[in-house]
Amino acid sequence: MCDSTHASVPDAARTAPRPAPGTATDPITLAPVDEIRITVLMDNTYDALLVGDSRTGRAGFGPATVPAGQFVSGRTSVGLLAEHGFSALVTVRRAERDTTLLFDAGLSPDGMVDNARRLGVDLTALQGVVLSHGHFDHAGGLSGLAAELGSGRMPMVVHPAVWTPRRVMTPQNVFEMPTLSKKSLDAEGFEVIERRHPSLLVDGSVLITGEVDRTTGFEHGMPVSHQAWRDEHWRHDPLVIDDQALVVHLRGQGLVVLTGCGHAGAVNIVRHARRLTGVGTVHALLGGLHLSGPAFEPVIGPTVAALTALAPKLLAPGHCTGWRAQHTLAAALPEAWVPSSSGTTHHLVAA
């Protein structure tokens, strides 16, 4: 699942971001990797009966057992937790060296950590954390992770706007989202690194996009109910400007793009990744695509058309993608689409 050795100080230093040379018109050199393993530690669903294949492994019943007196053995097999949140473990291999990062941490303080334990994942072997954005359903598990890591310092890459207070205001109620605290994260052992622009991690083989260019005519972002506290006022926050994705170039195959919620728009994100790297082929797109609910369902059609034209070999939408979009994507790209579930591992290798 991941390297069994604890991350060393030099390993952590290697994971820290540095400014990526180039702009959207001057491609960044993203070093190709030989292998990528992406394990979904938390998603909105868990299905123990999903069947895997050569590139997608599934966690059925039995990755762990717990005491249960009603059974002859005194124990029972348990599956994994699911919640409205997202977290993924990303391991990249170049030659004989593996590096493992955590991308987002799920909703609850202990959900992602519990799933990692049940899967036999050693979170102390992590060499860095990346937050896709500041929404609480992607950062809630950081306290559980901090307890797991102990007293060591863990580098964490974020966009500077992750600290923005946000709320959802509807005629029925107002929901104020939990807001991340930089001071608290620092006290818990995270070495917070703020980057607005693209960053290269892991010896130049993992790209964090930073702010995503909004170039499509149909991905308009969040509805007016989504607000942010800026300049002493609550204002409509359509962009969620801190939204960023993780991108890897799989040698001979193309780009692998991992999103948290995809608030910047799935097509905007893929376009941005292609433009930044100069790599035209998209091999895989995974993670939340935020196409759920009445505000986003009109975007499903053009999004599916654009993704169909890109023809990825693997499409594994999860979290906030929504059932209508999932059905449409499955019908449009039946060979590429696979259902997401907590515990799924996507194993992709170079050509």
Side-chain angles (χ1 to χ4, degrees):
M1 194 69 65
C2 63
D3 194 344
S4 60
T5 59
H6 287 11
S8 66
V9 172
D11 284 334
R14 288 175 59 251
T15 310
R18 61 184 187 277
T23 65
T25 57
D26 183 10
I28 293 166
T29 300
L30 181 60
V33 305
D34 300 304
E35 181 182 356
I36 309 168
R37 296 190 303 278
I38 299 176
T39 297
V40 179
L41 292 180
M42 183 58 73
D43 207 341
N44 289 34
T45 61
Y46 168 67
D47 187 343
L49 301 182
L50 288 174
V51 177
D53 55 29
S54 60
R55 66 184 180 183
T56 301
R58 302 293 192 179
F61 291 116
T65 64
V66 297
Q70 71 270 34
F71 296 105
V72 173
S73 66
R75 301 188 68 84
T76 187
S77 295
V78 293
L80 298 174
L81 304 173
E83 62 186 17
H84 185 87
F86 187 73
S87 178
L89 194 75
V90 181
T91 299
V92 298
R93 180 177 64 82
R94 291 181 63 192
E96 300 304 316
R97 187 180 185 97
D98 283 4
T99 304
T100 301
L101 305 170
L102 183 72
F103 184 77
D104 288 349
L107 174 72
S108 63
D110 52 6
M112 178 273 293
V113 171
D114 281 351
N115 279 351
R117 290 194 191 111
R118 294 182 186 188
L119 291 168
V121 172
D122 179 12
L123 291 174
T124 65
L126 285 175
Q127 289 150 307
V129 178
V130 177
L131 282 190
S132 64
H133 62 300
H135 280 167
F136 66 105
D137 51 330
H138 297 256
L142 290 175
S143 59
L145 175 61
E148 194 80 1
L149 296 176
S151 59
R153 301 293 290 174
M154 177 63 65
M156 181 167 64
V157 183
V158 305
H159 184 283
V162 295
W163 323 115
T164 304
R166 290 181 168 117
R167 70 180 186 180
V168 177
M169 185 174 185
T170 67
Q172 291 74 36
N173 61 14
V174 177
F175 171 57
E176 294 200 11
M177 300 184 188
T179 303
L180 277 172
S181 164
K182 185 176 182 180
K183 181 179 179 181
S184 297
L185 289 174
D186 181 73
E188 287 185 329
F190 294 102
E191 181 186 343
V192 177
I193 303 159
E194 298 183 29
R195 287 287 300 159
R196 186 179 299 274
H197 303 293
S199 297
L200 288 171
L201 285 65
V202 191
D203 292 339
S205 60
V206 173
L207 170 68
I208 308 304
T209 61
E211 292 179 14
V212 174
D213 290 342
R214 314 302 170 101
T215 59
T216 69
F218 54 88
E219 292 170 314
H220 303 299
M222 299 292 280
V224 293
S225 58
H226 185 263
Q227 300 178 346
W229 181 257
R230 294 195 184 97
D231 303 323
E232 303 301 316
H233 295 283
W234 286 106
R235 303 178 186 277
H236 179 206
D237 180 30
L239 296 183
V240 191
I241 199 65
D242 44 316
D243 186 75
Q244 55 187 357
L246 183 150
V247 182
V248 180
H249 182 193
L250 185 60
R251 189 187 311 277
Q253 301 278 29
L255 298 179
V256 176
V257 181
L258 178 63
T259 69
C261 267
H263 287 297
V267 181
N268 281 331
I269 291 168
V270 170
R271 285 184 179 181
H272 192 67
R274 295 171 71 199
R275 190 164 53 252
L276 284 175
T277 62
V279 178
T281 303
V282 177
H283 183 69
L285 175 62
L286 309 93
L289 304 186
H290 215 289
L291 295 169
S292 180
F296 296 95
E297 287 172 3
V299 183
I300 293 174
T303 299
V304 172
L307 294 181
T308 301
L310 289 168
K313 293 295 189 294
L314 173 65
L315 180 62
H319 184 37
C320 52
T321 301
W323 69 269
R324 290 186 188 275
Q326 293 280 20
H327 284 227
T328 309
L329 288 164
L333 293 157
E335 299 302 316
W337 181 86
V338 297
S340 187
S341 172
S342 293
T344 297
T345 296
H346 304 281
H347 184 197
L348 308 175
V349 296

